Amino acid sequence: MSSDEVLLSASGVSKRFTVGSRGLLGGRLQLSAVDNVSLEIKKGETLGLVGESGCGKSSLARCLTRLYDVDEGTITFDGRDITNLGRRQMQPLRSEMQMIFQDPYGSLNPRRRVGSIIGDALAIHGSRGKGTRRQQVQELMEIVGLNPEHYNRYPADFSGGQRQRIGIARALALKPKLIVCDEPVSALDVSIQAQVINLLQELQREFDLTYLFISHDLSVVQHISDRIAVMYLGRIVESGPVDEVFTASSHPYTRALLSAKPIADPRAAEQRDRIVLAGDLPSPISPPSGCRFHPRCPKAEQDCVTVVPTLEVFRGGGPDAQKVECLHPLEADQDLSSFTPSIADTIIGADAAATGSREVAS
Amino acid sequence: MVLLHVTDLNVSFDTDDGVVRAVRGISFDVDRGKTLGIVGESGSGKSVSTQTLAGLTRGARVSGSAQFDGLDLIKASPSQRRSVLGRKIGMIFQDPLTSLHPAYRVGAQIIETIRAHDRSISKSKARERAIELLGMVGIPFPSERVDEFPHQFSGGMRQRVMIAMAMALDPTLLIADEPTTALDVTVQAQVLELMRKVQAEFGTAIILITHDLGVIADVADDVAVMYAGTIVERAPRDEIFYQPHHPYTEGLLDSMPGRVERGQPLRPVKGAPPSLIDLPPGCPFAPRCPYRFDRCDQEVPALQTVFGDEQHQSACFLPTDIEERKALREQLVEKGGIR
């Protein structure tokens, strides 16, 4: 279970990428992938990070694990400021933060045997367990539900679900404190997906792991997370304990996102009010002014166009507070579909047209 | 009224490793103006079966029949098939970027579709129709966007373009193969909404292929559940969700997050699907089935009516009486076979 001790915290983290060819004035375009994000991950908890493709979930995860250098802000891991650590200084910390990736085909080298894929980390960081490396790897394979006799097989000999287990064994090898799971079950069929989710939860209990769980599948995130953070266009727009956010979300975007979640229950699906957002995700190269969600927000008011909201405590307090980044958050009993935006329609039309055409980089 | 009548469709591929029996004797009907959802996991044969109807499975060995509008799509010559495809049957696929030609303007691609079937339509008339279609599927400023290239559209917009193209000649059947799988949930909601709108307006029948039971719950009237190349259960939507007979359907539903209390483990189906080259002799689901008994390993169960409901069929030896079937489920839950 989670304690109140913070394992990883980020404060005001921003990450920009330079993209495209030189413009008219010779300057290159800046893509703001992560913008002023602050969050905390407590020891032993699962923080779910949700949002649509291109919203910056993976970029944020890479900033937090220092796979990317951040442009602004600070990152603290286990009480230590790691924001500006160099490659060599980071290396001992790498064993404490591991990643599991989405694509069980692309994330394993097809020309190497399973034993060496899992065992490489042990070789690089120096074995710390008992027994030979082979014994250690086979023990890991057993823990994640693979047959240890398959030590010498290649990734191609395994199914998608089994490959994801290999990825998990690799992440576990160095006994990390934090595992960043970036869409770990998105590529798997539903029956296999459930097996892998159960495995992740068992491992968390057994090894006292902390997860940052990134997914676009809201049902999965709801099931596995203690707290969730919702991202929109590089910013965290709402965060809080999973039950509060799922039952009483206060940001209009969260509300719309949750209402679009497919439910495998026809009667429940028919009963709910669905809020279909207009338009697409705007380009992070030229994000909208004020609140980044205002061009699509059913509840937008005039000040949303100019004032940039910050993430503020909305309900509760302490580490379990529900926070929202909205000038006019929704109360639990308010219905988003009853609102119409009170900003000039021309602005919305123009923004939708401008953003609808543009490619959104992820 | 039945629009498409598929009987005993078999599709197999010769590979270096042996014969892959991708679709094994499936039969189904699609009614006018209705949506048939075909659900199954990767490799269950759900896409191959509809691709075969469209003549897209080159090199496959195909048998069976598919009656559509007085024509057997399986035995039809390529030119006969071409006269139907695009005109009476529209198709949309999972990945709208690879389904659109990157070097042609979207308008030109829609115009080509229209004029391929009727040369008497002038280019300017076809262009007007293309603009009208883009407007219908909710593309803002269609008269300008018609001259843009696919890369200038977002994923959701591209899928709208695909739907516009598929609907160009007002088909009676739309085959949608995982149309929203590559899209985010908010965009998925927009596209499903659009498909519903198109169906209500034009009375188009839809075959919707998906792995996502949430999408099925949203739009299907009838559901066929596929496993290892066969239809294992077929019923109106609510029967599938609330009174499944086949253990695989039950297992799929049980695997969904959201069906158990948070903090409790999920209830996955054990194991993995069989190889389509080397199928088990009996029921293909038997090795993973929590109800398995001796007969399952020896005989292949055929689809039969269950629960006294003509529309509900299941390929399983378990009791067809609803009370007996429910009692078995309860026993299994008690024994801990399903947590």
Side-chain angles (χ1 to χ4, degrees), chain A residues 52-53 189 225 265 277 357, chain B residues 42 152 184 186 190 242 262:
Chain A
E52 299 177 89
S53 30
D189 277 318
S225 308
D265 182 342
L277 287 177
S357 64
Chain B
S42 354
Q152 291 171 290
D184 282 312
T186 58
Q190 294 170 358
Y242 301 119
R262 230 163 48 74

Side-chain angles (χ1 to χ4, degrees), chain A residues 242-262:
Chain A
V242 69
D243 288 333
E244 270 87 332
V245 175
F246 270 82
T247 55
S249 52
S250 50
H251 197 287
Y253 176 66
T254 315
R255 206 55 87 78
L257 187 69
L258 294 178
S259 88
K261 180 181 94 156

